[in-house]
Amino acid sequence: MAKVTRDDVARLAGTSTAVVSYVINNGPRPVAAATRERVLAAIKELGYRPDRVAQAMASQRTDLIGLIVPDARQPFFAEMAHAVEQAAAERGKMVLVGNSDYLDEREVHYLRAFLGMRVSGLILISQGPSEHAATEIDAWDARVVLLHRRPEAIDDVAVVLDDVGGAERLTRHLLDHGHPYVACLGGVDSTPEHGDPVTDHVTGWRRAMAVAGLDTEGRLFKAPYNRYDAYHIALELLAGPDRPPALVCATDDQAIGVLRAARELRIDVPGELAVAGFDDVKEAGLTDPPLTTVGSDREAMARAAVDLAIGDTAGAPVDRLRQFPVALRLRASCGCAASV
């Protein structure tokens, strides 16, 4: 059976091949509703399937967006990836996802792979201050949007949160509950000193403590970002003689691990220990007690990142850094009655 071509569709629909292209690609020119229906009916009748490879070779771009995340198993990155996929689908794009596993060489591997596929744009949640990634991006002269964090080594357009301000507000809120001080569960030794959200959360905590005239010495504890390792660290911390009265965690995943450890040790939350996180993942409202955290408009961030990645900014000037505001989600783990 001969392969059905765009010319065949155009003949059956009684239109030009250019109009068929506009219907298939949803632009760049508008098509009258009646004409669009004839083209779609012809496509269905003939069983036509566009040759995406040929389209990509002709235009030097595909309808794909590359997304690289550190670890899609972590709820925050999973939810962010879903938001990006939804935003891309609204714009007729598909998303390829790669997990760097917090490894520099894995991040560079996916950069090369996705850029080699001529993706329309690439959204990068970088695992660290990668000089190799910066070199790879420069070599391809690619459109790359940094999401969630902006490493110093990579000077591309970024969509981020007010992480410092959010952590400072969260710490002040815990202090307003009357706690003598607030401890912090931060990152690990390899956490970058600049451009990393976890580092910014620690900075916000330090600022709030300084404004309150409180010492931070010996009150910052290191932990990986996930709940499982945080659980084991919290078991030791909370069972010790210097258990803090309140603990702000750099991520919700860490805070979920802390809540599990507190329950196992029969420590009342929030009566004996106030706990708060950062990210407002879906599970935060389902923990026992529900977790106080810092949230944001993740969908708006994803839409902004996708539009920047595919160059769909309606001719408006592009800020090198788009910072989105945050909001406290006050729940029972800090002692608040409200559940949001």
Side-chain angles (χ1 to χ4, degrees):
M1 180 182 293
K3 180 180 179 181
V4 178
T5 68
R6 195 166 299 189
D7 289 336
D8 297 327
V9 175
R11 277 194 295 271
L12 183 58
T15 187
S16 66
T17 55
V19 170
V20 175
S21 295
Y22 299 153
V23 172
I24 293 171
N25 298 316
N26 200 25
R29 294 185 180 180
V31 177
T35 304
R36 175 180 291 275
E37 289 301 320
R38 289 205 313 274
V39 171
L40 292 175
I43 289 173
K44 183 176 181 180
E45 181 177 336
L46 295 172
Y48 174 68
R49 294 292 181 269
D51 188 337
R52 297 298 186 187
V53 174
Q55 288 176 341
M57 292 177 63
S59 66
Q60 296 299 302
R61 297 177 72 184
T62 66
D63 58 0
L64 301 172
I65 294 175
L67 171 65
I68 303 174
V69 300
D71 187 353
R73 293 171 300 180
Q74 294 184 25
F76 174 80
F77 296 125
E79 291 178 21
M80 183 61 79
H82 182 265
V84 167
E85 187 176 20
Q86 291 295 106
E90 292 170 2
R91 290 147 181 79
K93 304 291 183 180
M94 294 180 290
V95 178
L96 298 174
V97 181
N99 288 271
S100 70
D101 284 336
Y102 292 98
L103 297 173
D104 187 47
E105 61 270 22
R106 188 73 60 81
E107 183 174 279
V108 171
H109 164 76
Y110 279 115
L111 276 169
R112 288 174 179 164
F114 290 166
L115 295 176
M117 294 176 187
R118 299 294 182 184
V119 293
S120 294
L122 193 142
I123 299 172
L124 172 61
I125 304 180
S126 182
Q127 57 83 30
S130 173
E131 296 288 348
H132 293 103
T135 301
E136 198 68 33
I137 292 168
D138 290 341
W140 283 92
D141 190 25
R143 182 185 291 123
V144 176
V145 178
L146 300 170
L147 181 59
H148 180 56
R149 66 186 305 274
R150 189 180 194 180
E152 285 190 319
I154 308 176
D155 185 29
D156 282 82
V157 176
V159 178
V160 299
L161 287 176
D162 181 12
D163 289 291
V164 174
E168 187 174 2
R169 288 177 58 192
L170 183 62
T171 304
R172 282 204 313 266
H173 177 78
L174 293 179
L175 291 171
D176 287 344
H177 274 279
H179 299 294
Y181 71 90
V182 176
C184 179
L185 200 64
V188 294
D189 289 332
S190 60
T191 301
E193 294 183 2
H194 304 285
D196 187 275
V198 169
T199 300
D200 288 344
H201 299 166
V202 174
T203 298
W205 165 74
R206 288 189 186 278
R207 286 186 182 180
M209 290 283 282
V211 169
L214 297 171
D215 190 12
T216 58
E217 185 67 28
R219 292 171 176 172
L220 172 62
F221 304 96
K222 297 178 181 180
Y225 311 139
N226 67 81
R227 68 189 67 181
Y228 309 103
D229 291 319
Y231 157 74
H232 291 291
I233 289 171
L235 280 176
E236 183 176 350
L237 172 63
L238 300 183
D242 299 321
R243 186 181 73 213
L247 186 61
V248 59
C249 302
T251 71
D252 281 351
D253 229 26
Q254 290 175 328
I256 291 171
V258 170
L259 290 176
R260 169 57 192 263
R263 174 175 287 276
E264 192 167 311
L265 294 171
R266 302 194 178 188
I267 297 171
D268 178 59
V269 178
E272 299 173 273
L273 171 70
V275 179
F278 201 112
D279 290 333
D280 194 27
V281 299
K282 296 292 186 185
E283 290 174 89
L286 299 176
T287 57
D288 186 17
L291 179 65
T292 288
T293 183
V294 177
S296 61
D297 191 341
R298 200 165 294 149
E299 288 73 22
M301 290 181 66
R303 286 193 295 270
V306 168
D307 286 343
L308 289 166
I310 64 177
D312 187 12
T313 54
V318 176
D319 294 329
R320 299 294 297 171
L321 182 68
R322 285 203 59 185
Q323 187 178 77
F324 280 73
V326 296
L328 298 187
R329 306 285 193 245
L330 303 179
R331 302 188 179 104
S333 71
C334 71
C336 286
S339 178
V340 184

